[in-house]
Coordinates of all heavy atoms in Angstrom, one line a residue:
M1 N 0.9 -1.2 0.0 CA 0.0 0.0 0.0 C 0.9 1.2 0.0 O 1.9 1.3 0.8 CB -0.9 0.0 1.2 CG -2.0 1.0 1.2 SD -3.1 0.6 2.6 CE -4.2 1.9 2.5
A2 N 0.6 2.2 -0.9 CA 1.4 3.4 -1.0 C 1.3 4.3 0.3 O 0.2 4.4 0.9 CB 1.0 4.2 -2.2
E3 N 2.4 4.9 0.6 CA 2.4 5.8 1.8 C 1.7 7.1 1.3 O 2.0 7.6 0.3 CB 3.8 6.1 2.2 CG 3.9 6.9 3.4 CD 5.3 7.2 3.8 OE1 6.3 6.7 3.1 OE2 5.6 8.0 4.8
I4 N 0.8 7.5 2.2 CA 0.2 8.8 1.9 C 0.9 9.9 2.6 O 1.0 9.9 3.8 CB -1.3 8.8 2.3 CG1 -2.0 7.6 1.5 CG2 -2.0 10.1 2.1 CD1 -3.4 7.4 2.0
R5 N 1.3 10.9 1.9 CA 2.0 12.1 2.5 C 1.3 13.3 2.1 O 0.8 13.5 1.0 CB 3.5 12.2 1.9 CG 4.3 11.0 2.2 CD 5.7 11.3 1.7 NE 6.6 10.2 1.9 CZ 7.9 10.2 1.7 NH1 8.4 11.3 1.2 NH2 8.6 9.1 1.9
P6 N 1.4 14.3 3.0 CA 0.8 15.6 2.7 C 1.6 16.2 1.4 O 2.8 16.1 1.4 CB 1.1 16.5 3.9 CG 1.5 15.6 5.0 CD 2.0 14.3 4.3
N7 N 0.9 16.7 0.5 CA 1.5 17.3 -0.7 C 1.5 18.8 -0.5 O 0.5 19.5 -0.3 CB 0.6 17.0 -1.9 CG 1.2 17.6 -3.2 OD1 1.6 18.7 -3.2 ND2 1.4 16.7 -4.2
S8 N 2.7 19.4 -0.5 CA 2.9 20.8 -0.2 C 2.2 21.7 -1.2 O 1.7 22.7 -0.9 CB 4.4 21.2 -0.1 OG 5.0 20.9 -1.3
D9 N 2.1 21.2 -2.5 CA 1.4 22.0 -3.5 C -0.1 22.0 -3.1 O -0.7 23.1 -3.2 CB 1.6 21.4 -4.9 CG 3.0 21.5 -5.3 OD1 3.7 22.5 -4.8 OD2 3.4 20.7 -6.2
I10 N -0.7 20.9 -2.8 CA -2.1 20.8 -2.4 C -2.3 21.7 -1.2 O -3.4 22.4 -1.1 CB -2.5 19.4 -2.2 CG1 -2.5 18.6 -3.6 CG2 -3.9 19.3 -1.6 CD1 -2.9 17.2 -3.5
A11 N -1.4 21.7 -0.3 CA -1.6 22.4 1.0 C -1.7 23.9 0.7 O -2.3 24.7 1.5 CB -0.4 22.2 1.9
Q12 N -1.2 24.4 -0.5 CA -1.2 25.8 -0.8 C -2.6 26.2 -1.4 O -2.9 27.4 -1.6 CB -0.1 26.2 -1.8 CG 1.3 25.9 -1.2 CD 1.5 26.7 0.0 OE1 1.2 27.9 0.1 NE2 2.1 26.1 1.1
V13 N -3.3 25.2 -1.9 CA -4.6 25.5 -2.6 C -5.6 26.0 -1.7 O -5.9 25.5 -0.6 CB -5.1 24.3 -3.4 CG1 -6.4 24.5 -4.0 CG2 -4.1 23.8 -4.4
F14 N -6.3 27.1 -2.1 CA -7.4 27.7 -1.3 C -8.7 27.4 -2.0 O -8.9 27.7 -3.2 CB -7.2 29.2 -1.2 CG -8.2 29.9 -0.4 CD1 -8.2 29.8 1.0 CD2 -9.1 30.8 -1.0 CE1 -9.2 30.5 1.7 CE2 -10.1 31.5 -0.3 CZ -10.1 31.3 1.1
V15 N -9.5 26.7 -1.3 CA -10.7 26.2 -1.9 C -12.0 26.9 -1.4 O -12.1 27.3 -0.2 CB -10.9 24.6 -1.8 CG1 -9.8 23.9 -2.4 CG2 -11.0 24.3 -0.3
G16 N -13.0 27.0 -2.3 CA -14.3 27.5 -1.8 C -14.2 29.0 -1.3 O -13.4 29.8 -1.7
R17 N -15.1 29.2 -0.4 CA -15.1 30.6 0.3 C -15.4 31.7 -0.7 O -15.0 32.8 -0.5 CB -13.9 30.9 1.1 CG -13.6 29.9 2.2 CD -14.6 30.1 3.3 NE -14.4 29.2 4.4 CZ -15.3 28.7 5.2 NH1 -16.6 29.0 4.9 NH2 -15.0 27.9 6.2
R18 N -16.2 31.3 -1.8 CA -16.5 32.4 -2.8 C -17.3 33.5 -2.2 O -17.0 34.7 -2.5 CB -17.2 31.8 -4.0 CG -16.4 30.9 -4.9 CD -17.1 30.6 -6.1 NE -16.4 29.8 -7.0 CZ -16.8 29.4 -8.2 NH1 -18.0 29.8 -8.6 NH2 -16.0 28.6 -8.9
R19 N -18.3 33.2 -1.4 CA -19.1 34.3 -0.9 C -18.4 35.2 0.0 O -18.4 36.4 0.0 CB -20.3 33.6 -0.2 CG -21.4 34.7 0.3 CD -22.6 34.0 0.9 NE -22.3 33.1 2.0 CZ -22.0 33.5 3.3 NH1 -22.1 34.8 3.5 NH2 -21.8 32.7 4.2
E20 N -17.6 34.5 0.9 CA -16.8 35.3 1.9 C -15.7 36.2 1.1 O -15.5 37.3 1.4 CB -16.0 34.4 2.8 CG -16.9 33.7 3.9 CD -17.6 32.4 3.3 OE1 -17.4 32.1 2.1 OE2 -18.3 31.8 4.1
M21 N -15.1 35.6 0.1 CA -14.1 36.4 -0.6 C -14.7 37.5 -1.4 O -14.1 38.6 -1.6 CB -13.3 35.4 -1.5 CG -12.3 34.5 -0.8 SD -11.2 35.3 0.4 CE -10.3 36.4 -0.6
A22 N -16.0 37.3 -1.9 CA -16.6 38.4 -2.6 C -16.9 39.5 -1.6 O -16.7 40.7 -2.0 CB -18.0 37.8 -3.2
E23 N -17.4 39.2 -0.4 CA -17.6 40.2 0.6 C -16.3 41.0 1.0 O -16.3 42.2 1.1 CB -18.3 39.6 1.8 CG -19.7 39.3 1.6 CD -20.4 39.0 2.9 OE1 -20.1 39.6 4.0 OE2 -21.3 38.1 2.9
L24 N -15.3 40.2 1.2 CA -14.0 40.8 1.6 C -13.4 41.6 0.5 O -12.8 42.7 0.7 CB -13.0 39.7 2.0 CG -13.5 38.9 3.3 CD1 -12.6 37.7 3.5 CD2 -13.4 39.9 4.5
T25 N -13.5 41.1 -0.8 CA -13.0 41.9 -1.9 C -13.8 43.2 -2.0 O -13.2 44.3 -2.4 CB -13.1 41.1 -3.2 OG1 -12.3 39.9 -3.0 CG2 -12.5 41.8 -4.4
S26 N -15.1 43.2 -1.8 CA -15.9 44.4 -1.8 C -15.4 45.4 -0.8 O -15.3 46.6 -1.0 CB -17.3 44.0 -1.6 OG -18.1 45.2 -1.5
A27 N -15.1 44.8 0.4 CA -14.6 45.7 1.5 C -13.2 46.3 1.1 O -12.9 47.4 1.4 CB -14.5 44.9 2.8
L28 N -12.4 45.5 0.5 CA -11.1 45.9 0.0 C -11.3 47.1 -1.0 O -10.6 48.1 -0.9 CB -10.3 44.8 -0.6 CG -9.0 45.1 -1.2 CD1 -8.0 45.7 -0.2 CD2 -8.3 43.9 -1.8
N29 N -12.2 46.9 -1.9 CA -12.4 47.9 -2.9 C -12.8 49.2 -2.3 O -12.4 50.3 -2.6 CB -13.5 47.4 -3.9 CG -13.1 46.3 -4.8 OD1 -11.9 46.1 -5.0 ND2 -14.0 45.6 -5.3
D30 N -13.7 49.1 -1.3 CA -14.2 50.3 -0.6 C -13.0 51.0 0.1 O -12.8 52.2 0.1 CB -15.2 49.9 0.5 CG -16.6 49.6 -0.1 OD1 -16.7 49.8 -1.3 OD2 -17.5 49.1 0.6
A31 N -12.2 50.1 0.8 CA -11.0 50.7 1.5 C -10.1 51.4 0.6 O -9.6 52.5 0.9 CB -10.3 49.6 2.3
L32 N -9.8 50.8 -0.6 CA -8.9 51.4 -1.5 C -9.4 52.7 -2.2 O -8.7 53.5 -2.7 CB -8.5 50.4 -2.6 CG -7.7 49.2 -2.2 CD1 -7.5 48.2 -3.3 CD2 -6.3 49.7 -1.7
S33 N -10.8 52.8 -2.1 CA -11.3 54.1 -2.6 C -11.6 55.1 -1.5 O -12.4 56.0 -1.7 CB -12.6 53.8 -3.4 OG -13.6 53.2 -2.6
G34 N -11.1 54.8 -0.3 CA -11.2 55.8 0.8 C -12.3 55.5 1.8 O -12.4 56.3 2.7
Q35 N -13.0 54.5 1.6 CA -14.1 54.2 2.5 C -13.7 53.0 3.4 O -14.0 51.8 3.0 CB -15.4 53.9 1.7 CG -16.7 53.7 2.5 CD -17.2 55.0 3.1 OE1 -17.2 56.0 2.4 NE2 -17.6 54.9 4.4
G36 N -13.0 53.2 4.5 CA -12.5 52.2 5.3 C -13.6 51.3 5.9 O -14.7 51.8 6.1
R37 N -13.4 50.0 6.0 CA -14.4 49.1 6.6 C -13.7 48.3 7.6 O -12.5 48.0 7.7 CB -14.8 48.2 5.4 CG -15.5 48.8 4.3 CD -17.0 48.8 4.4 NE -17.5 47.4 4.3 CZ -17.8 46.7 3.2 NH1 -17.7 47.3 2.0 NH2 -18.3 45.5 3.3
L38 N -14.6 47.8 8.6 CA -14.1 46.8 9.6 C -14.9 45.6 9.4 O -16.1 45.6 9.3 CB -14.4 47.4 11.0 CG -14.0 46.4 12.1 CD1 -12.5 46.2 12.2 CD2 -14.5 47.0 13.5
V39 N -14.2 44.4 9.2 CA -14.9 43.1 8.9 C -14.4 42.2 10.0 O -13.2 42.1 10.3 CB -14.5 42.6 7.5 CG1 -15.2 41.3 7.3 CG2 -14.9 43.6 6.5
M40 N -15.3 41.4 10.6 CA -15.0 40.4 11.5 C -15.3 39.0 10.9 O -16.4 38.7 10.5 CB -15.7 40.5 12.8 CG -15.3 39.5 13.9 SD -15.9 39.9 15.5 CE -17.6 39.6 15.4
L41 N -14.3 38.1 11.0 CA -14.5 36.7 10.6 C -14.7 35.9 11.8 O -13.8 35.9 12.7 CB -13.2 36.2 9.8 CG -12.9 36.9 8.5 CD1 -11.6 36.3 7.9 CD2 -14.0 36.8 7.5
A42 N -15.8 35.3 11.9 CA -16.1 34.5 13.2 C -16.4 33.1 12.8 O -17.0 32.8 11.7 CB -17.3 35.2 13.8
G43 N -16.0 32.2 13.6 CA -16.3 30.8 13.4 C -15.5 29.9 14.3 O -14.5 30.4 15.0
E44 N -15.8 28.7 14.4 CA -15.1 27.7 15.3 C -13.7 27.5 14.9 O -13.3 27.8 13.7 CB -15.9 26.4 15.3 CG -15.9 25.7 13.9 CD -16.9 24.5 13.9 OE1 -18.1 24.8 14.0 OE2 -16.4 23.4 13.9
P45 N -12.8 27.1 15.8 CA -11.4 26.9 15.5 C -11.2 25.9 14.3 O -11.9 24.9 14.2 CB -10.8 26.3 16.8 CG -11.7 26.8 17.9 CD -13.1 26.8 17.2
G46 N -10.3 26.3 13.4 CA -10.0 25.4 12.3 C -10.9 25.6 11.1 O -10.8 24.9 10.1
I47 N -11.9 26.5 11.2 CA -12.9 26.6 10.1 C -12.3 27.4 8.9 O -12.8 27.3 7.8 CB -14.2 27.3 10.6 CG1 -15.4 27.1 9.7 CG2 -13.9 28.8 10.8 CD1 -15.9 25.7 9.9
G48 N -11.2 28.1 9.2 CA -10.5 28.8 8.0 C -10.5 30.3 8.1 O -10.3 31.0 7.1
K49 N -10.6 30.9 9.3 CA -10.6 32.4 9.5 C -9.3 33.0 9.1 O -9.2 33.9 8.3 CB -11.0 32.7 10.9 CG -12.3 32.2 11.4 CD -12.6 32.6 12.8 CE -11.6 32.0 13.8 NZ -11.7 30.5 13.9
T50 N -8.2 32.4 9.7 CA -6.9 32.9 9.4 C -6.5 32.8 7.9 O -6.0 33.7 7.3 CB -5.8 32.2 10.3 OG1 -6.1 32.5 11.7 CG2 -4.4 32.7 10.0
R51 N -6.8 31.6 7.4 CA -6.5 31.4 6.0 C -7.2 32.3 5.1 O -6.6 32.8 4.1 CB -6.8 29.9 5.6 CG -6.4 29.5 4.2 CD -4.9 29.6 4.0 NE -4.6 29.3 2.6 CZ -4.5 28.1 2.0 NH1 -4.6 27.0 2.8 NH2 -4.2 28.0 0.8
T52 N -8.5 32.5 5.3 CA -9.3 33.4 4.5 C -8.7 34.9 4.6 O -8.6 35.5 3.6 CB -10.7 33.4 5.0 OG1 -11.2 32.1 4.8 CG2 -11.6 34.4 4.2
A53 N -8.3 35.3 5.8 CA -7.7 36.6 6.0 C -6.4 36.7 5.2 O -6.1 37.7 4.7 CB -7.5 36.9 7.5
Q54 N -5.6 35.6 5.2 CA -4.4 35.6 4.5 C -4.6 35.8 3.0 O -3.8 36.5 2.3 CB -3.6 34.3 4.8 CG -3.0 34.2 6.2 CD -2.5 32.8 6.5 OE1 -2.9 31.8 5.9 NE2 -1.6 32.8 7.5
E55 N -5.6 35.1 2.5 CA -5.9 35.2 1.1 C -6.3 36.7 0.7 O -5.8 37.2 -0.3 CB -7.1 34.3 0.7 CG -6.7 32.8 0.8 CD -5.7 32.4 -0.2 OE1 -5.7 32.8 -1.4 OE2 -4.8 31.6 0.2
L56 N -7.1 37.3 1.6 CA -7.4 38.7 1.4 C -6.1 39.6 1.5 O -6.0 40.5 0.7 CB -8.4 39.2 2.4 CG -8.8 40.7 2.3 CD1 -9.5 40.9 1.0 CD2 -9.5 41.1 3.5
G57 N -5.2 39.2 2.4 CA -4.0 40.0 2.5 C -3.2 39.9 1.2 O -2.6 40.9 0.8
V58 N -3.1 38.8 0.6 CA -2.4 38.6 -0.7 C -3.0 39.5 -1.7 O -2.3 40.3 -2.4 CB -2.4 37.2 -1.1 CG1 -1.8 37.0 -2.6 CG2 -1.5 36.3 -0.2
L59 N -4.3 39.5 -1.8 CA -5.0 40.3 -2.8 C -4.8 41.8 -2.5 O -4.5 42.6 -3.4 CB -6.5 40.1 -2.8 CG -7.0 38.7 -3.2 CD1 -8.5 38.6 -3.1 CD2 -6.6 38.5 -4.7
A60 N -4.8 42.2 -1.2 CA -4.6 43.6 -0.9 C -3.2 44.0 -1.2 O -3.0 45.1 -1.8 CB -4.8 43.7 0.6
E61 N -2.2 43.2 -0.9 CA -0.8 43.5 -1.3 C -0.6 43.7 -2.8 O 0.1 44.5 -3.2 CB 0.2 42.5 -0.7 CG 0.3 42.7 0.8 CD 1.2 41.6 1.4 OE1 1.7 40.8 0.7 OE2 1.4 41.7 2.7
Q62 N -1.2 42.8 -3.5 CA -1.1 42.8 -5.0 C -1.6 44.1 -5.5 O -1.2 44.6 -6.6 CB -1.9 41.7 -5.6 CG -1.2 40.3 -5.5 CD -2.1 39.2 -6.0 OE1 -3.3 39.4 -6.2 NE2 -1.5 38.0 -6.1
R63 N -2.6 44.8 -4.8 CA -3.1 46.0 -5.2 C -2.5 47.2 -4.5 O -3.0 48.3 -4.6 CB -4.6 46.0 -5.0 CG -5.3 44.9 -5.8 CD -6.7 44.8 -5.6 NE -7.5 46.0 -6.0 CZ -8.8 46.1 -5.9 NH1 -9.5 45.1 -5.4 NH2 -9.4 47.2 -6.2
G64 N -1.4 47.0 -3.9 CA -0.6 48.1 -3.3 C -0.9 48.5 -1.9 O -0.4 49.5 -1.4
A65 N -1.8 47.7 -1.3 CA -2.2 48.1 0.1 C -1.2 47.6 1.1 O -0.4 46.6 0.9 CB -3.6 47.4 0.4
Q66 N -1.1 48.3 2.2 CA -0.3 47.8 3.3 C -1.1 46.8 4.1 O -2.2 47.0 4.5 CB 0.1 49.0 4.2 CG 1.2 48.8 5.2 CD 1.6 50.0 6.0 OE1 0.8 50.9 6.1 NE2 2.8 50.1 6.4
N67 N -0.4 45.7 4.4 CA -1.1 44.6 5.1 C -0.4 44.4 6.5 O 0.7 43.9 6.6 CB -0.9 43.3 4.2 CG -1.6 42.1 4.8 OD1 -2.4 42.2 5.7 ND2 -1.2 40.9 4.3
L68 N -1.1 44.7 7.5 CA -0.6 44.6 8.9 C -1.3 43.5 9.6 O -2.6 43.4 9.5 CB -0.8 45.9 9.6 CG -0.2 47.2 9.0 CD1 -0.5 48.4 9.8 CD2 1.4 47.0 8.8
W69 N -0.6 42.7 10.4 CA -1.2 41.7 11.2 C -0.9 41.9 12.7 O 0.2 42.3 13.1 CB -0.6 40.3 10.8 CG -1.1 39.8 9.6 CD1 -0.7 40.2 8.3 CD2 -2.1 38.8 9.4 NE1 -1.4 39.5 7.4 CE2 -2.3 38.7 8.0 CE3 -2.9 38.1 10.3 CZ2 -3.2 37.8 7.5 CZ3 -3.9 37.2 9.7 CH2 -4.0 37.1 8.3
G70 N -1.9 41.6 13.6 CA -1.7 41.6 15.0 C -2.1 40.2 15.5 O -2.9 39.5 14.9
R71 N -1.6 39.8 16.6 CA -1.9 38.5 17.2 C -2.1 38.7 18.7 O -1.6 39.6 19.3 CB -0.8 37.5 17.0 CG -0.4 37.3 15.6 CD 0.6 36.2 15.5 NE -0.1 34.9 15.6 CZ -0.5 34.2 14.5 NH1 -0.4 34.7 13.3 NH2 -1.1 33.0 14.7
C72 N -2.9 37.8 19.3 CA -3.0 37.8 20.7 C -3.1 36.3 21.2 O -3.4 35.4 20.4 CB -4.2 38.6 21.2 SG -5.8 37.9 20.7
H73 N -2.9 36.1 22.5 CA -3.1 34.8 23.0 C -4.5 34.3 23.0 O -5.4 35.1 23.2 CB -2.5 34.7 24.5 CG -1.0 34.9 24.5 ND1 -0.1 34.0 24.0 CD2 -0.3 36.0 25.0 CE1 1.1 34.5 24.2 NE2 1.0 35.7 24.8
Ligands
LIG1 N1 -10.5 27.5 2.1 C1 -9.5 26.8 2.4 N2 -8.8 26.0 1.5 C2 -7.8 25.3 1.8 N3 -7.3 25.1 3.1 C3 -7.9 25.8 4.1 C4 -9.0 26.7 3.8 N4 -9.4 27.2 4.9 C5 -8.6 26.7 5.9 N5 -7.7 25.9 5.4 C6 -6.7 25.2 6.1 O1 -7.3 24.6 7.3 C7 -6.4 24.8 8.4 C8 -7.2 25.6 9.5 O2 -7.5 26.9 9.0 P1 -7.3 28.2 9.8 O3 -7.4 29.4 8.9 O4 -6.0 28.2 10.6 O5 -8.5 28.2 10.8 P2 -9.0 29.2 11.9 O6 -8.1 30.4 11.8 O7 -10.4 29.5 11.7 O8 -8.7 28.5 13.2 C9 -5.2 25.5 7.9 O9 -4.2 24.5 7.6 C10 -5.6 26.2 6.6 O10 -4.6 26.3 5.7
LIG2 MG1 -6.8 31.4 13.2

């Protein structure tokens, strides 16, 4: 039986979350046009909040925005 290993390429793939990304992209558009927005991603641990925020961060940086992160315990 073949050994199953995590594939690093697959681990990079971001799946689904179309509705969330549409809302976040809309908020990014508003922010870039001077209308700042505050968005909260809520959900149980492991549901994908951080990853979704990271995807938005990539989009924001691609469009020249400054992407700042804070963390807490
Ligand atoms: N849409 C997604 N596509 C692919 N992997 C995802 C997606 N959302 C989350 N993951 C993966 O699931 C794991 C948990 O997601 P994470 O964003 O850390 O959850 P949370 O911040 O809500 O606790 C991470 O390894 C993350 O990369
Ligand atoms: Mg998280």
